[in-house]
Structure formats: structure tokens, C-alpha cells
Amino acid sequence: MIESWRWFGPSDPVTLADARQAGARGIVTALHEQYDGRAWSPADIAERAETIRHAGFDWTVCESIPMHSSIKLRTGEWRKYIDQWKLSLDAVGRAGVPVVCYNFMPVVDWTRTDLRHPTRTGGLALRFDMASFVAYDVFVLERDGSAEAYSPEILAAARKVFDGLDDDSTARLERTIIAGLPGGEDSYTRETIRARLAEFSQISDDDLRGNLIEFLREVVPVAEEAGTRLAVHPDDPPFSLFGLPRVVSTPADLRAIMGAVDSDANGLTLCVGSLSTRPDNDVPAIAREFADRIHFAHLRNVTCDADGSFMESEHLDGRTDMVDTIAALLHEEERRCETGHVLSEIAMRPDHGHLLIDDIHKTVNPGYSCIGRLKGLAELRGVIAGLTYTRATKAAVA
């Protein structure tokens, strides 16, 4: 596997030099400073690629080309924005970037309620607390019809959370949920998120799924021509937020997406942590079923509560058997080598990581500190080395 490292560009407090010391081979990045839906220029892409090459890395994955909400709604200026997206995709592919990760989550991207939740070892982790989220949705945002969407039990827990909030903690919770997290494409105020939610209020799961499939029918041929592959990222979390549809959450969703446009360029980002937060998702089984379409992997883990809450866990200690998942990916790599597939190695990155040691006192992008990811990468590297050795030993004996 290609050990990669997410880098948010020249302003990232965790530098390319840090990634080099972590032992990464590849960089996962994008033109994060250009997020308004306009096409990225080949010159800007070439400049970013040269920066990465000069530091001794390959640009393994573009994550992500920003996607204007009109594309997901297929209203307003969607034609203009999808054409701009296709231009960026073509330019990234022709620059030699082999994979483009993207998502189709409406309004809010990956979502948490606490960016500094204490762990049992003294570090800090990202957490999504269902009662806190419902407290914001029902009692702070006061979204129309929100109270009817939740059970009496979770509403009672949310009311207790809300009653304990002061102005500062309310503002912090709101910033965490709607003000944008690293790699997200939208940042909102309370007024603007109400307006955006209203735009999506009449769109169903079937509508959004249909819009995604129409999007793929347009962009997959561009990816094929440019020599790159698309890898859709699962919803994070993989269940409805603010009453919005989510259509990249289950194996059935993935079958619909992959089957709609049957091309190797229409692929999947296997985000272990995102998929793991649904109790009915068996991630190693998903990895095996969709192995030939997995072009990128986010390797992180979560612990989950019965009410839907979850927390980022140690990479090897969570709901999903990470060793079994990596074994499925290594088996697919072996198959690709035998068949001559151009992507014989699957790019992976240690996704997120706890705030540890002196990183706790530094300003870093939430989830993307240096030490926590370095620890995760080292653990994952050990799993890969052990599995590779075991497979080689068995093959030699045979």
C-alpha cells in the first residue's frame, strides 16, 4: 500500500518535512485555498504538484475538488458548476494525479460536536455526541419539524444538554457543527445554514441518489479520458443530519453507485471510520465486496454508543477489525499485480488521530495533528508488514 499523508497546503501547520519524517511516500492534498466552485487552472495544479515533487513525494490523491451545492440539487447554476468541476478533474488527471476523492454529502460535510474530547490515556479525540447534536438542531437552530424527527428519549437527553449550555458553550458547539472542518467545502452561520437547509428541504434520498448518478454519468468519462479515477467518500456520519438525505452510507448505496456507471474510474474511498459508525455496516465485508473499486483508503477507527454517538479511537482499537480490513486490501493488491492493473498499490492514509503530548498545546487542524497521525501510521505500517510477511511465508512453504 502507498503510505500517504494529508497535507492542507502551504498554510498547514504540519509541514511536508513533518510528513517526510513520518515516513510517508505520498501526499493527499488539493488546492484548498480555491473552494468557490471555479475551475482550477493547470498552472496552479502544476505548481502544487512541483512543490510536492520537490519535497520528495508523489501526489497520490486529490482530496477533494470542491462541489457546489447546486450540483447536488441540480438547480440554479448547476450546469455552470458541473462544467467547472469537469475542467478541474481533467486538469488534475492530466497532471498525473491517479485518484480524485470526492463526496456527495448535502449541506454539511464531515460533522462532529466536540473536537477535544478526553481519552482514557490523556489525549484528546474528535467526538460526535448525538444528544449534543440534537440539542443544537432542535433548541438552538430550531429547525422546522426537527423535534418530530427524534425519539422522546434522545429529546430528553438533548434538553438536558441544552439546559447546561451557556452562551460560550453554545457558540462553541455551533462553530464545531456548522463552521466547517478541514477539507469541508462550506462554512455557515446560523442564518445561512437555515437558508441552505431550506433549499434541500424537498429533496428525497431517491432525488439525491439520482442527482449523484447523473453527475457520475457526466464526470466518469472525463476521468477515463484524463487517466484518473474517482473515489467517492462515504457519508460521515452515515446517517441523516438535519433531516437531510444521505446516499453513500451502506453497501446497498455503494452497489447502486457502482452499478449505475460500470467503470473502473467510478470507484470508492474506503473510509473505515465513516462506515464503522453504522452498526449494520461490516467494513471488512464491504472491503472484500467492493475490492476492485477501492482506489483509496482512510484507515481510522471509532468506538460507538447505542444512541448513535461515536468517538475517534485508536487506529487498531475500535469497532472494526482493522487487521482483517487491511488483509482484504492487500489481497486485492495481489490480484491487481497479477492482472497488470495500473493501480496495483492502493493509496492509504492514517485518517485523523488523537491530539497527543505537546500537540495538545499547538494550533492544528482538528483531526490532523502530527503526532497522533504518526502514531497511527506506525501502527498501520506494522500491521501491513506483519501481514505481508505472513503471506510471503505461506507462499514460500506452498
Side-chain angles (χ1 to χ4, degrees), residues 161-174:
V161 169
F162 177 71
D163 288 344
L165 296 175
D166 58 21
D167 289 346
D168 287 344
S169 54
T170 299
R172 183 168 58 252
L173 178 63
E174 183 163 57

Side-chain angles (χ1 to χ4, degrees), residues 108 110-116 127-141 157-181 188-190 193 242:
V108 286
W110 68 286
T111 304
R112 303 292 185 269
T113 60
D114 188 351
L115 305 180
R116 298 174 66 90
R127 177 171 169 79
F128 178 90
D129 181 76
M130 184 62 77
S132 297
F133 180 84
V134 175
Y136 178 75
D137 188 20
V138 176
F139 302 116
V140 179
L141 186 63
R159 168 57 76 176
K160 186 175 181 180
V161 169
F162 177 71
D163 288 344
L165 296 175
D166 58 21
D167 289 346
D168 287 344
S169 54
T170 299
R172 183 168 58 252
L173 178 63
E174 183 163 57
R175 285 195 305 270
T176 302
I177 294 173
I178 70 170
L181 290 171
Y188 300 102
T189 64
R190 195 176 304 176
I193 197 171
F242 297 117

Side-chain angles (χ1 to χ4, degrees), residues 5-6 12-15 18-19 21-22 121 123-124 314-315 350-365 367-381:
W5 190 266
R6 190 158 196 191
D12 194 331
V14 181
T15 66
D18 296 331
Q21 291 183 53
T121 59
L124 302 172
E314 302 282 348
H315 284 75
D351 197 13
H352 302 171
H354 292 170
L355 269 173
L356 303 172
I357 314 173
D358 59 343
D359 273 354
I360 291 174
H361 309 293
K362 295 178 181 177
T363 299
V364 296
N365 289 317
Y368 292 97
S369 60
C370 185
I371 297 172
R373 284 187 292 163
L374 188 155
K375 177 177 179 287
L377 181 58
E379 293 170 343
L380 297 167
R381 182 181 295 139

Side-chain angles (χ1 to χ4, degrees), residues 23 51 70 75 89 126 168 215 236 239-240 242 251 254 263 270 361:
T51 298
S70 65
T75 60
L89 174 63
L126 303 176
D168 287 344
F215 168 77
D236 184 9
F239 47 78
S240 177
F242 297 117
L254 298 178
S263 167
L270 184 77
H361 309 293

Side-chain angles (χ1 to χ4, degrees), residues 169-372:
S169 54
T170 299
R172 183 168 58 252
L173 178 63
E174 183 163 57
R175 285 195 305 270
T176 302
I177 294 173
I178 70 170
L181 290 171
E185 289 134 20
D186 287 304
S187 178
Y188 300 102
T189 64
R190 195 176 304 176
E191 292 71 29
T192 59
I193 197 171
R194 282 179 178 142
R196 186 55 55 83
L197 289 171
E199 292 177 353
F200 277 85
S201 62
Q202 300 304 311
I203 192 169
S204 67
D205 285 3
D206 287 343
D207 293 331
L208 187 64
R209 184 178 298 106
N211 292 347
L212 171 55
I213 289 169
E214 289 302 316
F215 168 77
L216 287 169
R217 286 173 177 158
E218 287 209 41
V219 302
V220 167
V222 176
E224 292 172 335
E225 182 66 24
T228 191
R229 286 164 175 77
L230 295 163
V232 67
H233 188 286
D235 302 322
D236 184 9
F239 47 78
S240 177
L241 299 177
F242 297 117
L244 297 167
R246 297 277 208 177
V247 296
V248 194
S249 297
T250 67
D253 291 335
L254 298 178
R255 291 181 200 113
I257 294 164
M258 302 304 150
V261 183
D262 189 11
S263 167
D264 186 55
N266 177 24
L268 169 66
T269 295
L270 184 77
C271 183
V272 175
S274 296
L275 292 166
S276 293
T277 55
R278 279 185 72 104
D280 53 342
N281 279 344
D282 181 336
V283 178
I286 291 171
R288 288 188 286 270
E289 178 176 353
F290 298 98
D292 63 339
R293 296 288 190 92
I294 295 172
H295 300 320
F296 184 31
H298 289 177
L299 301 182
R300 66 177 174 90
N301 225 328
V302 294
T303 56
C304 303
D305 300 332
D307 67 353
S309 303
F310 61 90
M311 187 174 78
E312 309 275 358
S313 65
E314 302 282 348
H315 284 75
L316 304 185
D317 181 22
R319 179 177 174 269
T320 288
D321 185 334
M322 189 66 76
V323 177
D324 193 15
T325 303
I326 292 174
L329 297 175
L330 292 176
H331 180 76
E332 171 61 15
E333 285 189 329
E334 187 176 82
R335 185 196 68 81
R336 293 184 189 186
C337 286
E338 292 172 351
T339 60
H341 193 290
V342 66
L343 286 183
S344 59
E345 287 187 285
I346 298 170
M348 70 80 154
R349 65 176 178 85
D351 197 13
H352 302 171
H354 292 170
L355 269 173
L356 303 172
I357 314 173
D358 59 343
D359 273 354
I360 291 174
H361 309 293
K362 295 178 181 177
T363 299
V364 296
N365 289 317
Y368 292 97
S369 60
C370 185
I371 297 172

